[in-house]
């Protein structure tokens, strides 16, 4: 029994000793991100128009 008590601190999970969770701070949106979003929106709109055009020809 004494051996188990001596080993108990070593068997304690390391998660109990972990630091508290630090929430990430969101970064502001950059001009490059806005440009990429605009380009993706235009590409999606173009794809939707192309699909509508192809479907209406049938």
């Amino acid at each position: 029994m004494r051996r188990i008590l001596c080993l108990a601190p070593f068997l304690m999970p390391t998660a109990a000793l972990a630091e508290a969770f630090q929430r990430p701070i969101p970064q502001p949106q950059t001009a490059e991100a806005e440009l990429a979003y605009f380009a993706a929106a235009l590409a999606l709109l173009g794809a939707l128009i192309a699909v509508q055009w192809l479907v209406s020809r049938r």
Side-chain angles (χ1 to χ4, degrees), residues 27-40:
Q27 299 295 321
Q29 189 170 352
T30 62
E32 292 86 11
E34 289 182 10
L35 183 62
Y37 181 78
F38 180 70

Side-chain angles (χ1 to χ4, degrees), residues 12-56:
M12 188 169 61
T14 57
L17 303 174
E19 293 181 13
F21 176 69
Q22 298 289 331
R23 293 185 62 164
I25 299 171
Q27 299 295 321
Q29 189 170 352
T30 62
E32 292 86 11
E34 289 182 10
L35 183 62
Y37 181 78
F38 180 70
L42 287 180
L44 178 62
L45 183 63
L48 288 173
I49 291 171
V51 167
Q52 176 63 32
W53 179 67
L54 288 171
V55 169
S56 68

